[in-house]
Amino acid sequence: ASSNMIDIAGEINDVFGEPLENVEVKLCSNNQDANQSSVFTDNEGRYAFTELQKDYDYKVVPELNQDFLKGVTTADLIHIQRHALGIDQFDSPYQLIAADADNSDNTTAIDILQLRKLILGVYEELPNNNSYRYGTTGQELPVENPWMIEESVIIDNADEMHDNISFNAIKVGDVSSFESSAKNDDSTRKSNNNASALKTENVNLRSGELTSVIFSIEDAQDIEGLQFSFDMSAFEYFELNGLGEYGQSYVFDESRDLLNVSWISEAASDMLEFELLVTASESGSLADMLKLDESKIEALTFLGKNLEEDKIELAFENVPLTANSVKLTPNPFQDMFNIEIESAGRNQVTIDIMDLSGRLLHRTNKTIGEGMHTETIYKSDIASYQGVMIVRVNNSGEINTFRVISL
């Protein structure tokens, strides 16, 4: 190179030392020939600006503003919540910067809110932050004030080679990686279990008829949170109960027909249950209509203090269904309602009527033959109960569940 020329080069790694490829590195300068030029890091995280004129000022700024959701899960929300509550506080300045989703130089509930919107698909990108932040390699940041991070390097009146202008990249939102790294174990996020079975009964759905579907995960006392997406393209109406509020713990992505859930547990419980009210566009079995979609949100539960990950698998019970069918009218009712059961053969039928807490109000057991049968339930059979009830009809293992209103 000419004696009047210099090079500016370096590398960009994540905070754990892994090189980052395809990071755009921009150069600003009062040298108009070099101002606003940019290069991209190679597969070893290296970049270089060559043949730059001496005695000019240069500013090096890395930028990778894509893949906002990379590494971000509901586990990160739980870690940030624990930090904010003083339960388990962060001890890394980089982790604090990763947690600062709204770029306010602080860690608050707003960071949780913005990251949850990112997970749920309300945001495609964070409104006040980039996907990555960058700190110059070697800068000592105090945990008490990590916000003094230097995210660019300025070289005044450059008169020599600079071949180690390097940066550490911090993935905004991904605070869980620091927990794994602290334990020197890449598998910290994975539990020893095979999967968390999200169980429900495979009910028959009639077109245009509202049906209550109850989901449960057993042995749920260690579940700190979960996330998943249901493909709702087979349904014309739905309502989710038992997993927080709409817009906070779940949203519906209308453009993709996805019900996206990101939920944090408030109290330990042996059984996790929630209800999905659905109206199907066409008649058929629930197992044929309802699917998990992992195109954006991986279906996971997060367990225990370390928030180990378990895959969620949808488990339909009583598969396959027979040709039996059940209809309930009127709904709502005042004095009585009828349960019409069309049976494909001689079957044992159990009818359970419960309030929303699961308390049994009435049970009927009987054997029916092939054909149509009507069972009438009077207000006196349910002790004149008023309000919303769950009616569950078990026809030799085939379950139909209804949500009924007693006036």
Side-chain angles (χ1 to χ4, degrees):
S2 167
S3 60
N4 291 323
M5 298 295 180
I6 61 166
D7 297 341
I8 296 175
E11 60 185 38
I12 298 177
N13 301 311
D14 66 21
V15 293
F16 310 111
E18 294 297 319
L20 256 64
E21 187 177 4
N22 290 326
V23 178
E24 185 178 13
V25 184
K26 295 180 178 179
L27 191 67
C28 302
S29 177
N30 55 357
N31 172 6
Q32 294 303 312
D33 293 334
N35 188 36
Q36 299 300 323
S37 59
S38 64
V39 294
F40 290 85
T41 56
D42 61 19
N43 59 3
E44 294 182 346
R46 304 260 330 152
Y47 75 92
F49 295 98
T50 60
E51 299 291 311
L52 299 172
Q53 287 185 313
K54 279 186 176 182
D55 302 323
Y56 282 96
D57 301 333
Y58 295 97
K59 180 180 180 181
V60 182
V61 184
E63 182 177 298
L64 178 59
N65 205 28
Q66 60 190 28
D67 297 329
F68 276 82
L69 197 54
K70 181 179 179 180
V72 181
T73 69
T74 302
D76 298 296
L77 310 186
I78 301 171
H79 281 304
I80 297 172
Q81 183 181 73
R82 288 175 178 176
H83 170 81
L85 295 174
I87 297 171
D88 190 8
Q89 294 196 309
F90 301 146
D91 56 10
S92 162
Y94 288 142
Q95 193 174 22
L96 285 163
I97 292 168
D100 182 21
D102 70 338
N103 200 15
S104 65
D105 292 352
N106 201 359
T107 304
T108 67
I110 296 176
D111 300 307
I112 298 173
L113 177 64
Q114 292 202 351
L115 288 174
R116 176 173 270 143
K117 287 183 176 181
L118 190 66
I119 293 169
L120 292 175
V122 178
Y123 291 159
E124 289 294 324
E125 56 185 48
L126 293 169
N128 300 312
N129 210 341
N130 293 328
S131 179
Y132 285 83
R133 301 278 300 275
Y134 299 89
T136 55
T137 301
Q139 183 189 12
E140 295 292 335
L141 289 173
V143 174
E144 298 77 16
N145 184 22
W147 322 116
M148 57 191 292
I149 185 171
E150 298 172 357
E151 299 192 69
S152 62
V153 172
I154 297 175
I155 307 169
D156 292 323
N157 197 30
D159 60 358
E160 62 182 2
M161 294 290 185
H162 293 270
D163 59 1
N164 192 27
I165 306 298
S166 298
F167 297 86
N168 293 321
I170 308 158
K171 179 63 185 69
V172 174
D174 183 8
V175 300
S176 298
S177 291
F178 293 86
E179 303 295 326
S180 302
S181 176
K183 297 174 178 61
N184 296 314
D185 182 5
D186 291 338
S187 64
T188 298
R189 293 189 181 191
K190 306 299 179 183
S191 82
N192 293 322
N193 300 329
N194 292 324
S196 294
L198 182 57
K199 296 181 179 180
T200 191
E201 295 162 348
N202 185 29
V203 295
N204 273 325
L205 303 178
R206 289 178 176 270
S207 174
E209 186 174 284
L210 186 66
T211 303
S212 170
V213 182
I214 305 299
F215 294 87
S216 65
I217 299 178
E218 298 174 354
D219 300 322
Q221 60 272 12
D222 289 334
I223 294 179
E224 298 287 331
L226 57 76
Q227 63 179 46
F228 62 84
S229 288
F230 277 152
D231 181 350
M232 304 300 292
S233 56
F235 305 97
E236 60 186 36
Y237 173 82
F238 76 88
E239 180 182 328
L240 182 63
N241 299 308
L243 287 180
E245 299 295 327
Y246 186 86
Q248 296 180 17
S249 295
Y250 66 96
V251 299
F252 180 57
D253 183 348
E254 189 172 356
S255 65
R256 304 174 69 227
D257 285 327
L258 294 180
L259 173 59
N260 298 329
V261 176
S262 172
W263 173 82
I264 298 176
S265 173
E266 295 182 354
S269 175
D270 291 339
M271 176 82 75
L272 172 62
E273 285 190 331
F274 62 91
E275 177 192 40
L276 187 65
L277 290 168
V278 293
T279 301
S281 302
E282 299 180 1
S283 298
S285 74
L286 181 66
D288 291 334
M289 297 184 186
L290 187 66
K291 309 293 181 185
L292 285 169
D293 184 290
E294 295 192 276
S295 59
K296 280 213 165 185
I297 300 177
E298 190 175 4
L300 297 169
T301 56
F302 304 96
L303 309 175
K305 183 178 186 301
N306 295 331
L307 302 182
E308 295 175 338
E309 295 177 358
D310 244 7
K311 289 285 294 180
I312 293 177
E313 293 182 354
L314 202 50
F316 293 99
E317 299 180 335
N318 307 310
V319 179
L321 295 177
T322 65
N324 303 317
S325 65
V326 179
K327 187 176 181 180
L328 189 151
T329 57
N331 186 18
F333 74 94
Q334 287 188 331
D335 300 317
M336 47 79 73
F337 64 91
N338 293 318
I339 301 173
E340 298 178 357
I341 305 170
E342 185 172 359
S343 180
R346 184 177 177 82
N347 288 329
Q348 184 67 35
V349 172
T350 300
I351 300 171
D352 286 335
I353 303 176
M354 299 159 287
D355 63 18
L356 290 181
S357 71
R359 180 172 63 94
L360 186 66
L361 302 173
H362 177 77
R363 171 172 284 174
T364 297
N365 282 301
K366 65 189 309 181
T367 301
I368 62 174
E370 183 179 355
M372 180 67 73
H373 301 267
T374 300
E375 184 73 18
T376 300
I377 305 296
Y378 294 93
K379 202 72 166 280
S380 59
D381 294 329
I382 55 173
S384 299
Y385 177 86
Q386 289 184 309
V388 180
M389 309 182 304
I390 301 297
V391 177
R392 184 172 297 170
V393 182
N394 185 334
N395 189 356
S396 291
E398 180 181 329
I399 310 294
N400 285 266
T401 305
F402 303 87
R403 187 181 175 101
V404 184
I405 299 175
S406 174
L407 301 175

